[in-house]
């Protein structure tokens, strides 16, 4: 269970910063690239994460229905186009969401909220689902960056090779 709102907010800021590393590694020509026709592009994924955080998860935990606008480049009249536009949209949605999440009390975390499918669950579980959703798409983003030849900083400080080398020297 999420212990309290301040610890969740700190965790969530860190989790999002790991996702943003991919956006920071992209070149402008990467943004609307997809690994196969019809798949989400980098831009689609970042707009999707931003929109869901703000307009679904943050709304649902405040007792309101989802208002998810979608993930297309036409979002906000084109304001979420280009690397700068996507970053601004991601940052704005994240800041607004953090402000809404910050109003939750510890009792609110235990109280039920209703997701868009109509299922009721503890608010902390819905926030955990948001984190799992982010991790799912972060994996896609890292793989896509690799396919584009864009190196992204490792998630937790060591590459797999560095971990293996460090493990051998300590055994």
């Amino acid at each position: 269970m999420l212990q309290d709102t301040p610890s969740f907010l700190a965790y969530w800021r860190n989790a999002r910063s790991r996702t943003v590393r991919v956006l920071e590694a992209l070149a402008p020509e990467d943004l609307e690239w997809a690994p196969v026709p019809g798949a989400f592009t980098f831009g689609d994924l970042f707009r999707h994460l931003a929109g869901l955080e703000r307009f679904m998860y943050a709304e649902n935990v405040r007792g309101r229905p989802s208002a998810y606008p979608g993930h297309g480049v036409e979002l906000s009249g084109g304001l979420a186009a280009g690397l700068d536009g996507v970053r601004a949209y991601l940052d704005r949605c994240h800041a607004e969401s953090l402000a809404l999440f910050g109003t939750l009390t510890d009792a609110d975390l235990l109280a039920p909220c209703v997701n868009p499918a109509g299922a009721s669950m503890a608010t902390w579980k819905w926030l955990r689902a948001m984190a799992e959703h982010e991790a799912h798409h972060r994996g896609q983003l890292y793989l896509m960056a690799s396919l584009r030849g864009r190196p992204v900083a490792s998630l937790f400080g060591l590459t797999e090779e560095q971990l293996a080398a460090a493990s051998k020297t300590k055994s």
Side-chain angles (χ1 to χ4, degrees):
M1 182 182 113
L2 301 172
Q3 297 300 310
D4 56 63
T5 301
S7 64
F8 167 72
L9 293 174
Y11 162 76
W12 186 236
R13 283 184 189 100
N14 287 333
R16 175 52 60 85
S17 73
R18 291 189 295 273
T19 303
V20 169
R21 288 178 192 168
V22 177
L23 184 60
E24 292 168 344
L26 298 179
E29 62 270 18
D30 296 325
L31 190 64
E32 301 307 331
W33 175 85
V36 295
F40 274 34
T41 67
F42 285 103
D44 290 337
L45 285 167
F46 283 109
R47 289 184 291 266
H48 174 68
L49 289 170
L52 280 182
E53 177 191 20
R54 172 59 189 88
F55 300 108
M56 186 182 75
Y57 291 104
E59 291 300 308
N60 294 162
V61 301
R62 298 308 307 154
R64 299 185 291 249
S66 174
Y68 175 61
H71 63 268
V73 73
E74 71 283 353
L75 191 65
S76 305
L79 295 178
L83 287 174
D84 291 341
V86 168
R87 179 62 188 259
Y89 181 65
L90 189 67
D91 289 347
R92 178 179 61 85
C93 287
H94 187 57
E96 290 174 11
S97 298
L98 288 172
L100 290 167
F101 297 147
T103 66
L104 297 171
T105 65
D106 294 349
D108 290 335
L109 291 174
L110 298 173
C113 71
V114 178
N115 71 22
S120 179
M121 67 183 69
T123 294
W124 72 267
K125 288 184 179 181
W126 191 229
L127 292 172
R128 180 184 63 191
M130 178 179 68
E132 291 173 3
H133 178 258
E134 179 101 359
H136 161 73
H137 285 304
R138 186 184 310 121
Q140 284 182 285
L141 290 164
Y142 267 73
L143 176 61
M144 288 168 61
S146 176
L147 292 172
R148 293 292 285 176
R150 303 291 182 209
V152 180
S154 61
L155 281 177
F156 301 108
L158 294 177
T159 65
E160 190 275 336
E161 295 83 4
Q162 292 166 329
L163 174 61
S167 297
K168 288 177 186 166
T169 62
K170 295 189 185 202
S171 349

